[in-house]
Amino acid sequence: MHIYDSVKKEKLPFEPLIDDEVSIYVCGPTVYDDAHLGHARSSLSFDLLARTLKALGYSVTMAKNFTDIDDKIIKKVRESGRSIEELTTYYIDRYLSDMDAINVLRSDIEPKATESMDAIESMIARLIKLGFAYRIDSGDVYFDTSRDAKYGDISHMVSDDTVSRIEHTSQKRSSKDFALWKACNDSDDICFDAAFSSGRPGWHIECSAMIEKHFEGNDEYSIDIHGGGADLLFPHHENEAAQSRCATGREVAKYWMHNGFVQIDGEKMSKSLGNSFFLKDALEVYDGEILRYYLNSIHYRNDFNFNEEDLLVSKRRLDKLYRLKKRVSPTKPTNPSSRFKSALLSAMSDDLNISVALSVVDDMIMETNEKLDNNPKDKVLKRETLANIELVDQILGVGYRDPFEYFQIGIEQELKDEIEALLLVRAEAKKVKDFATSDRIRDQLTTMGISIMDSPEGTQWEKLL
RNA sequence: GGAGCCAUCGCCAAGUGGUAAGGCCGCAGCCUGCAAAGCUGCUAUCCCCGGUUCAAAUCCGGGUGGCUCCUCCA
């Protein structure tokens, strides 16, 4: 396995801290709203990573946090009149069910900030005690970036005070310093008691604290891989790394991976630009598995320009996989072809080279179709092929459905019966060579959005998209 | 103002020094009553200029264009 480390900016051979074990921490969402396509892409990227590492034989432990306390959440609590627990629980459930819809494997650990307050408080207290952090009169606690010689090594950001756009707080020693703890201001703030003040954690500290709480690591690092969106590199990961380094005496992660953005019409998707696209809205229009294939079809580090035309191309590619699955069903899978397996794993082992991986899948489909054209009853081939498709599911997370149902997504039983009835009439017409009638029925089905294909074994139909 | 990423066939997209994967679309053919599906074949010298090298899409310098980060953000 080779991984592109976005801190070292080079592709490196992956060597885990502990043999055959991999620890991954991914920055999860702040739960004050529904998940958008960007969350989906991030989830999907690291899902691919976890699946690949598992297929390579590693035992993977993945954590993804939920930030369930912060300014935006408090704002929403005030606006909605709902309790914070009610609100965050709702959005956590929404997030998980949306991710389920695109077949993202659940993380092994899903820590919440509010359930990690002990770890957070203890880390902040330690940073104060060691002189890496200071408390100001308001009760806020800041990290003193000047005390960390390695501050800046993660993002390579040489931030100059004169051009910094960060607001200066009068008592902050440097504009680069950041909040570890924010004291309560208003009476209706949501606060937690701590030794330094009643307040709530800053944005970055929870990740450091959770990693310390849930992972052992070794003398040098706490975890193997730290992931997140490209926008988190600075300041979030820079600050997180600094906190962890100073509090624990070791680096937080050996490898850093950052996924690229989802763009709409060539621009970053964001709330402020008003072009954000909720995953749940996309799921109302497009099937989750097709969305998954599409969102994963481009390398995770590249920017992703979301558009329907490309999504339909992805659907066509996935259709081919399912047509092959139809051809080999029903049968019992044996073992995947070793040539196919090694080609697929080798592609994914190269920093998740999905383009090559998908072309390996396409090659397998084409070769198998050709062989089946020549020998339609090759049982051994069929069984191996089904195992190949199961491997595709295991590593890429697509192709898991019943192939006949796949082509009938969204078709009601009533319509199915109607289609079957029409096909019966058409079969009769064909039998007596009444092609005018059979073609008329085919046209009728096309109008209904149904594509049909004749074969020696009978006529099959598919829903056109 | 500072920092970084990217630019490959009509479209999407691999390839990071050794002579351009794959998909979609298109064209031709096999198959088919005709189609569809499936299969076969065909289609690029890599934004521009200069440099390094026996050899560059791949490295270096300079342009141009697009995007991102420096503010909550996946």
Side-chain angles (χ1 to χ4, degrees):
Chain A
M1 183 73 180
H2 285 252
I3 286 175
Y4 180 86
D5 185 324
S6 41
V7 166
K8 295 198 177 79
K9 293 181 186 290
E10 59 181 334
K11 208 183 274 185
L12 301 168
F14 176 67
E15 289 157 358
L17 272 33
I18 301 164
D19 283 346
D20 305 327
E21 289 182 27
V22 187
S23 48
I24 306 173
Y25 181 93
V26 180
C27 289
T30 299
V31 284
Y32 69 104
D33 210 341
D34 283 300
H36 56 227
L37 292 178
H39 292 113
R41 168 117 127 121
S42 182
S43 271
L44 249 15
S45 299
F46 295 103
D47 185 58
L48 229 36
L49 174 69
R51 286 170 181 270
T52 299
L53 288 168
K54 283 176 191 172
L56 288 169
Y58 291 104
S59 159
V60 178
T61 304
M62 183 147 107
K64 182 157 68 180
N65 70 304
F66 287 111
T67 299
D68 61 348
I69 172 71
D70 97 325
D71 288 347
K72 290 186 295 293
I73 293 173
I74 292 170
K75 183 162 177 266
K76 193 126 182 178
V77 165
R78 285 173 179 157
E79 287 168 359
S80 68
R82 285 191 278 180
S83 75
I84 184 166
E85 290 79 12
E86 208 181 331
L87 190 86
T88 56
T89 301
Y90 172 78
Y91 284 117
I92 287 171
D93 289 346
R94 290 278 320 118
Y95 178 90
L96 290 172
S97 69
D98 282 350
M99 294 309 157
D100 285 348
I102 51 174
N103 200 24
V104 171
L105 299 174
R106 290 285 174 99
S107 298
D108 304 285
I109 307 169
E110 293 174 340
K112 297 178 200 168
T114 56
E115 289 173 356
S116 313
M117 295 308 295
D118 288 351
I120 291 170
E121 190 183 342
S122 127
M123 186 174 267
I124 296 174
R126 203 177 331 140
L127 286 167
I128 294 174
K129 193 177 166 198
L130 294 170
F132 292 110
Y134 56 93
R135 180 186 184 283
I136 64 172
D137 294 343
S138 66
D140 290 357
V141 179
Y142 285 95
F143 183 87
D144 187 344
T145 52
S146 70
R147 293 293 315 280
D148 177 20
K150 289 185 173 171
Y151 189 76
D153 284 2
I154 296 293
S155 63
H156 312 287
M157 284 283 214
V158 188
S159 88
D160 183 337
D161 288 6
T162 56
V163 295
S164 173
R165 285 152 61 185
I166 304 168
E167 275 183 46
H168 291 226
T169 303
S170 54
Q171 292 189 56
K172 251 165 82 168
R173 292 177 190 168
S174 157
S175 67
K176 285 189 273 187
D177 292 357
F178 55 91
L180 295 171
W181 189 261
K182 296 180 180 179
C184 283
N185 291 318
D186 305 321
S187 53
D188 62 344
D189 256 357
I190 293 159
C191 304
F192 298 82
D193 287 327
F196 13 92
S197 67
S198 176
R200 57 189 178 72
W203 177 33
H204 319 293
I205 192 71
E206 65 176 89
C207 295
S208 293
M210 287 168 180
I211 288 172
E212 183 178 43
K213 178 176 172 180
H214 295 286
F215 293 100
E216 295 271 328
N218 66 10
D219 292 341
E220 278 184 278
Y221 303 98
S222 296
I223 54 170
D224 289 294
I225 301 167
H226 192 124
D231 50 348
L232 297 181
L233 188 55
F234 188 86
H236 185 57
H237 290 156
E238 185 73 65
N239 294 348
E240 193 187 319
Q243 294 159 353
S244 291
R245 180 158 53 227
C246 295
T248 69
R250 56 186 179 169
E251 290 298 317
V252 62
K254 189 171 179 187
Y255 304 90
W256 292 83
M257 293 174 78
H258 291 90
N259 65 275
F261 293 117
V262 174
Q263 305 192 333
I264 308 285
D265 300 325
E267 276 199 317
K268 178 183 172 178
M269 185 182 75
S270 76
K271 298 235 167 76
S272 48
L273 287 171
N275 62 356
S276 82
F277 205 151
F278 287 132
L279 179 53
K280 67 169 184 181
D281 294 331
L283 284 167
E284 275 184 25
V285 188
Y286 313 111
D287 174 70
E289 187 180 9
I290 293 166
L291 261 178
R292 179 189 172 94
Y293 189 108
Y294 176 49
L295 288 170
N296 262 350
S297 66
I298 291 171
H299 188 84
Y300 74 93
R301 271 189 283 124
N302 289 167
D303 281 338
F304 188 102
N305 197 1
F306 188 93
N307 68 80
E308 183 166 28
E309 194 187 330
D310 291 342
L311 186 143
L312 293 180
V313 168
S314 283
K315 182 201 176 292
R316 289 201 186 93
R317 281 182 97 170
L318 185 57
D319 286 351
K320 286 184 165 192
L321 181 68
Y322 273 110
R323 287 201 190 100
L324 179 64
K325 195 171 182 180
K326 271 206 293 198
R327 273 189 104 169
V328 301
S329 296
T331 191
K332 278 185 130 183
T334 47
N335 290 310
S337 135
S338 57
R339 192 166 60 90
F340 174 65
K341 184 174 182 177
S342 78
L344 188 59
L345 277 177
S346 143
M348 291 304 284
S349 297
D350 181 18
D351 192 38
L352 309 180
N353 192 330
I354 190 71
S355 286
V356 171
L358 291 177
S359 78
V360 168
V361 173
D362 283 345
D363 281 351
M364 182 276 288
I365 293 172
M366 208 185 285
E367 281 174 27
T368 312
N369 272 323
E370 194 182 356
K371 285 179 189 163
L372 287 172
D373 282 350
N374 295 325
N375 185 5
K377 291 183 177 166
D378 190 337
K379 271 197 164 177
V380 174
L381 178 65
K382 285 186 176 186
R383 297 179 68 179
E384 181 187 87
T385 300
L386 195 58
N388 286 345
I389 296 172
E390 287 188 350
L391 185 71
V392 171
D393 170 32
Q394 188 192 329
I395 298 174
L396 304 181
V398 294
Y400 48 86
R401 275 203 181 88
D402 174 279
F404 296 95
E405 285 171 13
Y406 170 84
F407 288 109
Q408 302 176 3
I409 296 165
I411 303 270
E412 304 287 330
Q413 188 56 48
E414 205 175 315
L415 187 54
K416 280 184 194 174
D417 294 342
E418 191 185 336
I419 292 163
E420 296 295 345
L422 282 168
L423 287 179
L424 226 56
V425 176
R426 181 169 173 277
E428 288 302 316
K430 276 185 57 165
K431 206 179 276 178
V432 297
K433 299 208 186 304
D434 177 6
F435 297 124
T437 301
S438 70
D439 288 353
R440 187 177 47 73
I441 292 171
R442 183 167 61 199
D443 290 344
Q444 188 184 343
L445 286 164
T446 305
T447 310
M448 290 162 68
I450 303 301
S451 155
I452 64 174
M453 39 211 78
D454 293 327
S455 80
E457 293 82 40
T459 300
Q460 297 191 340
W461 62 274
E462 295 179 1
K463 179 192 174 194
L464 292 162
L465 191 74

